Amino acid sequence: MVYAVCFDYAMNVSEGRAPEHPRGLGRGPGIRGKRVVVTGGGRGLGEQIVRLLVAEGALVATCARTAGDLAALAASLDPKARERLYTQALDVTEPEQLENFVAAAEKRFNGLDGAVACAGGSRGGGLERSDPADWAATWAVNVGHTARLIRAAVPHLRAAGGGSVVVIASISGWKPGPGAQYGAAKSAQIHLAASLARELGPDGIRVNTVSPGSMLIPGRRWDRMRTEQPEAFAAFVSAELPGGRPVAPQEVAHVVAFLLSDWSSGISGAHLPVDRAQNAPAPDGY
Ligand SMILES: NC(=O)c1ccc[n+]([C@@H]2O[C@H](COP(=O)([O-])OP(=O)(O)OC[C@H]3O[C@@H](n4cnc5c(N)ncnc54)[C@H](OP(=O)(O)O)[C@@H]3O)[C@@H](O)[C@H]2O)c1
């Protein structure tokens, strides 16, 4: 579908006609009815991406290891929205589980238009406080799962005439910071997405990376610091966050929705930091 829109647009431009706007312009972010898989939707950023997409009328399949988080997410939606959500409890670093999940989502929705690699994280500390297993685990959950997700989704996106893939990296993959295994894995995701954008471009499949800054997620590090150590939090904001506060996961989700939509049909291979000008990870971690 995206491919067809892009092609019509390009033909109009090359033949000197005024380009027609893609579907959805002026009627929401253009993701209504799109069929999307999102990994790591049980909490944090992934949960906010799922909530936004479902609220905007997309059909969304998501996964996480904790079945209770997925059940709570589904239970919190109104019944109509819940019908557009499909969940599976699984580990994205287990190849067969991830591939079966993508196949099940495609079957459930009768096709796929997009994929978001959001599950991620870090294991181990600094160089001398992390071992090879920490490096391997950090690589697997960030880079390995992303490559496998895209590989599993590509035949379905191609069958739909094209699609959009969004990879969640981090400003830690863009600028150096502590936890080199995490930064190296996030950096690899940015490179992977740009390379696949070129490889999959002929199929009408766009691939972009979104790099959040330090997100304010309820109950997580920066939120705890905000409530438990307000002076330290104020100093952190003053020193590291020119935007005056950490970025909210909802703000990152807006950008992901834009990249999944036809509004962004001209963007592929891009890396978009969404960090309210933070620009680099904090000296003691993202
Ligand atoms: N938090 C930040 O400030 C920040 C900043 C920059 C970038 N990021 C990136 O943004 C993404 C989301 O971060 P977040 O802080 O929202 O993460 P989070 O709160 O730790 O949530 C991650 C989600 O992914 C799931 N997940 C993790 N490992 C998984 C696995 N092996 N298999 C299946 N599901 C798994 C988690 O569920 P289970 O644990 O139940 O599996 C959870 O639902 C990550 O890629 C992270 O690197 C985060």
Side-chain angles (χ1 to χ4, degrees), residues 38-187:
V38 180
T39 60
R43 58 172 189 272
L45 173 59
E47 177 190 348
Q48 295 306 325
I49 293 170
V50 170
R51 285 187 183 283
L52 176 63
L53 297 181
V54 168
E56 292 296 333
L59 300 163
V60 183
T62 196
C63 63
R65 288 165 300 185
T66 310
D69 286 349
L70 298 171
L73 169 63
S76 72
L77 300 176
D78 69 56
K80 278 271 172 234
R82 200 177 308 137
E83 281 173 17
R84 296 194 290 277
L85 179 68
Y86 171 71
T87 66
Q88 244 190 51
L90 59 95
D91 186 336
V92 296
T93 65
E94 294 291 337
E96 205 176 324
Q97 292 184 16
L98 182 59
E99 284 153 12
N100 288 344
F101 166 65
V102 173
E106 190 276 338
K107 197 167 175 204
R108 170 86 168 219
F109 299 149
N110 195 26
L112 286 181
D113 303 297
V116 182
C118 184
S122 188
R123 216 180 91 176
L127 187 63
E128 292 174 293
R129 287 181 293 109
S130 50
D131 58 24
D134 294 327
W135 278 75
T138 303
W139 180 267
V141 74
N142 293 287
V143 192
H145 121 263
T146 296
R148 201 166 285 118
L149 173 73
I150 299 172
R151 194 172 193 277
V154 157
H156 308 305
L157 302 178
R158 192 184 284 129
S164 174
V165 176
V166 182
V167 176
I168 304 299
S170 167
I171 56 170
S172 298
W174 181 40
K175 300 283 174 71
Q181 67 275 38
Y182 181 68
K186 289 307 196 185
S187 185

Side-chain angles (χ1 to χ4, degrees), residues 250-264:
Q250 290 86 346
E251 292 173 303
V252 180
H254 293 159
V255 178
V256 174
F258 165 70
L259 288 173
L260 289 170
S261 80
D262 297 346
W263 287 20
S264 59

Side-chain angles (χ1 to χ4, degrees), residues 202-219:
D203 291 317
I205 299 171
R206 300 185 292 114
V207 189
N208 292 291
T209 313
V210 167
S211 279
S214 301
M215 287 185 285
L216 194 68
I217 297 174

